[in-house]
Amino acid sequence: MVQKRVLIFAEQVNGELQPIGLELLGSGRLLADKLGATLSALVLGSNIAHLASTLIGHGADEVFVADHPELAQYRTLPYRRVMTDLIKSWPEPPHTILLGSTTTGRDLAPRLAAHLETGLTADCTDLDIGPFEYSNSKDPSKSGLFRDCLYAIRPSFGESLKARILGPWKNPQMATVRPGVMVPLPWDGSRRGEVFQVPVQLDPSDLSLQIVETVRNLSQTTDLTRAEVIVSGGYGLGSPEGFELMQQLAACFPNSAVGSSRKAVDSGWIPYAHQVGQTGKTVRPQIYIACGISGAIQHRVGMDKSRTIIAINKDSSAPIFKFAHYGIVGDLYQVVPEMIRQLQQNQSQPQAHPTERIPVLQGH
Amino acid sequence: MESFVLIKQVPDQSSKAGINSDGTIDRAKAKRMLNPFDRYALEAALQTKRQHGARVTAITMGPPPAIEVLYEAIAHGVDRGFLMTDRRLAASDTLATAYTLAQTVRYAGSPDLIFCGLQTTDGDTAQVGPQLAERLGIPQVTYCEAFEIRDGILLARRAIEGGSQTVTVPLPVLVTVANSAQRLAYPTLRGAQRVQRLMRDEAARAEVIQIINLDDVGADPERCGLKGSPTIVAATEKVGEIGGNCQIFQGQSVPSLVKSLTEAASISSYVGAR
Ligand SMILES: Cc1cc2nc3c(=O)[nH]c(=O)nc-3n(C[C@H](O)[C@H](O)[C@H](O)COP(=O)(O)OP(=O)(O)OC[C@H]3O[C@@H](n4cnc5c(N)ncnc54)[C@H](O)[C@@H]3O)c2cc1C
């Protein structure tokens, strides 16, 4: 019998697995179990053999490792080559392929889908397996009852709707998944799986793009997907300097990051990497403190899975108070400094603020 | 140098017109606008014109009114435009769209640079750019924030998680432009006057804007529209309103407000300088 596979792409950076890979395994495990399929993980990089056991412990049945110096850092064409070669070497394409909707996944997934001539659903927030009956007089060749289809569920129309996208006519069925949405399985050291080395054969044309420099200087203040506490500033800050206050409040918490609304990014007050929302990042911290953010639907969808949402807004009718858990109606420039003062008092050992600062962009 | 820029007309979701109560869009009634992300792509293409004298071609695909975005692009300084319009394109997903656009690009010439917006506000997929690059067999730089061209090589900075990356790649290349890239200026007076003339004079328009269909570009209709789309929207569901039980503090002195809130939300357990 041919092996049915659900394949997930596990991103690594400098030999470290990114959280999205484990999130995809968590979601992929459910799909694979419903399908009676093997859950396969693919990881590409250089000197990354040690990652296989982590992927197995978090749910993979088998791990494919492509280890090659040219794969050390992500680049579209070499990664695309290795993945399509691997998939084509199998007697049957995977049933489903999942990638993260990170800058890497959104760069790679569409190239892969176009190469494989298959469908791809972007930025899903939910996935499932189910049957689908379809008839369309304009395209009768598509009609029929399809069992075991990938239900790719994603927000649409400015996030006011959830759309269920289906493409059972062709395998693999592909989707990218928002980081921070799916829940990883807990590590289980007793899990067993198989590890395969993937042959890497690159064409010189794959290597035409060269990476000159990679900078991840923003990590501490911008790793929104990993922070426990996010202090987020919006247009209500009124000026880029407001983000220094956000930074000071964030500094009261050991594992924190500064977020922002799109209007603050568009005003040039803070780099895009800090943006939370539909066209920014999805986050689910323990605490999300929204300062001067109205709570537009496009912002809400990026943060409404946060465990505790706190809003500080001077307008008591701002939509954010409809879904925040706690709110202060007041001027953030009075509330936030007082909050910082009280939190610092609470600290057993008051410490100086870190010197690191967010690069403030020039206004336009 | 030949620069192409791909632009799309989208419904204006900030206007209530044409937005049904269930959140879907009545495209015939909705106000139309140039996809906001494409404004950055347009600016990037115009940069190659200012700095390298590139000829800039704008391409759009859509129903006949989509010609409006070509006029808008020309007002900003774009040299010529192509409108790919055909009834057989209805229900195209990103794969079919990228196929149609690849055929259109080939028909329009051989660009050194193709600029696309990062994504559209109606589809939000960010897929068409990379799929088009794959179809054309050229490299891509996505999430581009800034770039320069020197001796036939693109030097670009792109956004990545928690930072940025600088890359070099020889032309031709497809670039998707992130929204932190440079803003589009106002239309030029000359550009606006040119559009006025094109709108009045059909012969003059036909020299600048070509309206084409699938047959013109030799596209296989089986690979376009519904037939060429491996995915469909099978169902939609309204996102429910949530909440209504926010505990709001107001009216007291600021210190007591903050104290009540931090206690209620038990923030203290997270405190500790980093
Ligand atoms: C296709 C599309 C995608 C989008 N994607 C995103 C996205 O990813 N993320 C995102 O955030 N938005 C996104 N938006 C934009 C979104 O619709 C809103 O415009 C944006 O979130 C508003 O930002 P804001 O809340 O900071 O600003 P505003 O809506 O202007 O709100 C500012 C708030 O600050 C309050 N305020 C002002 N001064 C003070 C003060 N001194 N103290 C306290 N409160 C004060 C005001 O009462 C107001 O509620 C998108 C829009 C579109 C069309």
Side-chain angles (χ1 to χ4, degrees):
Chain A
M1 207 184 101
V2 204
Q3 201 172 1
K4 216 184 231 184
R5 286 189 169 96
V6 171
L7 177 68
I8 71 108
F9 171 70
E11 270 179 52
Q12 59 81 28
V13 173
N14 297 330
E16 212 183 295
L17 280 177
Q18 299 303 290
I20 180 67
L22 305 187
E23 291 163 21
L24 292 177
L25 279 178
S27 168
R29 188 70 262 167
L30 295 175
L31 304 182
D33 290 347
K34 279 200 178 176
L35 285 165
T38 304
L39 179 59
S40 319
L42 171 61
V43 60
L44 289 77
S46 181
N47 297 322
I48 48 160
H50 60 286
L51 301 178
S53 59
T54 310
L55 292 165
I56 290 169
H58 280 283
D61 299 316
E62 54 178 19
V63 178
F64 294 88
V65 181
D67 205 319
H68 191 280
E70 292 286 5
L71 303 176
Q73 289 202 67
Y74 170 73
R75 282 185 291 170
T76 318
L77 296 181
Y79 272 51
R80 202 279 277 142
R81 172 85 56 194
V82 173
M83 281 187 84
T84 49
D85 283 355
L86 174 69
I87 291 164
K88 286 178 173 169
S89 76
W90 291 336
E92 186 165 310
H95 178 280
T96 291
I97 304 181
L98 306 178
L99 297 91
S101 33
T102 57
T103 54
T104 294
R106 282 179 134 209
D107 186 88
L108 177 60
R111 274 225 69 137
L112 207 58
H115 192 88
L116 301 171
E117 298 279 348
T118 196
L120 170 64
T121 306
D123 240 356
C124 296
T125 51
D126 208 351
L127 298 170
D128 202 354
I129 296 290
F132 177 51
E133 189 165 7
Y134 187 67
S135 76
N136 188 314
S137 56
K138 288 196 192 122
D139 187 3
S141 68
K142 280 202 170 122
S143 300
L145 171 66
F146 303 88
R147 278 168 227 290
D148 293 344
C149 315
L150 177 70
Y151 290 0
I153 294 149
R154 65 179 308 247
S156 73
F157 292 124
E159 312 269 340
S160 55
L161 291 181
K162 273 189 178 176
R164 183 192 287 175
I165 316 281
L166 279 143
W169 300 279
K170 187 129 197 239
N171 284 348
Q173 299 169 47
M174 290 181 62
T176 61
V177 177
R178 277 195 190 171
V181 176
M182 304 298 180
V183 183
L185 297 174
W187 159 263
D188 175 356
S190 67
R191 284 192 55 89
R192 292 286 164 264
E194 277 189 279
V195 181
F196 301 93
Q197 298 304 318
V198 178
V200 175
Q201 215 139 35
L202 300 172
D203 189 272
S205 67
D206 297 333
L207 305 173
S208 68
L209 181 142
Q210 288 177 6
I211 297 174
V212 181
E213 190 187 23
T214 302
V215 192
R216 290 184 200 266
N217 57 348
L218 301 170
S219 56
Q220 202 185 6
T221 44
T222 27
D223 205 348
L224 293 163
T225 50
R226 293 190 204 196
E228 198 171 45
V229 178
I230 293 176
V231 179
S232 212
Y235 195 63
L237 290 176
S239 76
E241 288 75 37
F243 278 100
E244 290 174 17
L245 190 63
M246 298 297 99
Q247 175 60 35
Q248 282 172 27
L249 179 55
C252 297
F253 307 95
N255 178 11
S256 60
V258 172
S260 78
S261 73
R262 170 153 160 201
K263 243 164 118 172
V265 171
D266 282 354
S267 306
W269 299 346
I270 187 161
Y272 170 63
H274 293 263
Q275 183 177 316
V276 171
Q278 180 193 355
T279 46
K281 296 211 162 62
T282 304
V283 298
R284 48 162 48 166
Q286 295 297 314
I287 299 187
Y288 189 92
I289 309 179
C291 307
I293 292 178
S294 62
I297 178 83
Q298 296 89 351
H299 188 78
R300 184 185 115 187
V301 294
M303 45 67 80
D304 64 5
K305 299 240 168 51
S306 307
R307 213 176 78 152
T308 301
I309 298 170
I310 297 170
I312 302 167
N313 196 307
K314 63 182 184 190
D315 174 7
S316 64
S317 65
I320 192 140
F321 291 121
K322 291 212 175 76
F323 59 93
H325 302 100
Y326 303 96
I328 291 184
V329 179
D331 184 339
L332 73 94
Y333 283 103
Q334 288 171 13
V335 173
V336 175
E338 174 63 21
M339 201 178 248
I340 295 170
R341 201 184 62 75
Q342 290 192 17
L343 291 175
Q344 282 176 348
Q345 250 173 16
N346 278 352
Q347 282 169 22
S348 43
Q349 282 175 315
Q351 291 181 29
H353 296 311
T355 46
E356 183 187 6
R357 282 179 37 177
I358 305 160
V360 173
L361 297 184
Q362 282 183 332
H364 289 271
Chain B
M1 193 186 293
E2 292 280 344
S3 290
F4 283 15
V5 55
L6 270 55
I7 57 181
K8 186 182 180 191
Q9 190 171 57
V10 297
D12 180 354
Q13 291 167 16
S14 65
S15 141
K16 294 265 178 290
I19 312 288
N20 301 324
S21 59
D22 64 356
T24 55
I25 290 170
D26 182 343
R27 281 176 197 264
K29 290 205 197 103
K31 268 185 74 181
R32 302 180 294 257
M33 65 174 185
L34 173 64
N35 173 35
F37 292 93
D38 295 347
R39 300 176 67 85
Y40 302 107
L42 204 47
E43 173 56 28
L46 292 169
Q47 182 185 327
T48 66
K49 177 171 176 157
R50 288 193 299 269
Q51 292 175 358
H52 306 278
R55 175 168 72 156
V56 181
T57 301
I59 294 179
T60 194
M61 169 177 146
I67 197 168
E68 292 159 6
V69 295
L70 294 178
Y71 286 136
E72 190 170 343
I74 289 166
H76 281 282
V78 161
D79 297 294
R80 57 176 195 147
F82 290 83
L83 168 62
M84 162 53 74
T85 186
D86 198 307
R87 284 183 171 280
R88 292 169 288 180
L89 290 172
S92 295
D93 73 357
T94 62
L95 192 78
T97 300
Y99 168 75
T100 312
L101 287 173
Q103 293 300 107
T104 308
V105 166
R106 289 194 182 103
Y107 172 83
S110 34
D112 302 292
L113 285 148
I114 301 176
F115 294 98
C116 298
L118 181 67
Q119 61 193 56
T120 61
T121 55
D122 58 347
D124 270 331
T125 70
Q127 288 174 185
V128 170
Q131 286 178 328
L132 174 60
E134 176 71 21
R135 292 248 182 260
L136 295 171
I138 60 175
Q140 70 194 36
V141 175
T142 54
Y143 292 90
C144 179
E145 297 180 318
F147 70 92
E148 268 171 49
I149 297 154
R150 283 189 219 143
D151 306 324
I153 295 196
L154 176 83
L155 174 73
R157 192 183 77 223
R158 63 185 298 262
I160 56 171
E161 273 69 26
S164 66
Q165 190 170 58
T166 308
V167 301
T168 59
V169 58
L171 307 183
V173 59
L174 182 143
V175 177
T176 77
V177 185
N179 59 355
S180 43
Q182 213 166 337
R183 247 140 249 268
L184 186 64
Y186 291 101
T188 61
L189 181 62
R190 246 182 78 200
Q193 286 170 342
R194 188 166 176 229
V195 169
Q196 289 301 321
R197 201 177 60 246
L198 299 187
M199 289 168 89
R200 274 197 314 269
D201 178 348
E202 195 159 327
R205 195 211 65 202
E207 275 177 27
V208 177
I209 298 178
Q210 279 194 50
I211 300 175
I212 50 179
N213 63 28
L214 293 180
D215 303 323
D216 294 322
V217 302
D220 174 3
E222 296 290 314
R223 299 179 69 182
C224 300
L226 177 68
K227 286 212 168 88
S229 296
T231 60
I232 58 151
V233 180
T236 56
E237 175 197 327
K238 202 168 181 204
V239 176
E241 285 300 317
I242 50 163
N245 45 17
C246 179
Q247 192 177 343
I248 294 182
F249 302 91
Q250 66 189 108
Q252 315 155 34
S253 73
V254 171
S256 52
L257 274 180
V258 170
K259 191 156 184 294
S260 315
L261 177 121
T262 48
E263 276 170 18
S266 34
I267 293 181
S268 303
S269 53
Y270 297 95
V271 171
R274 64 171 185 233

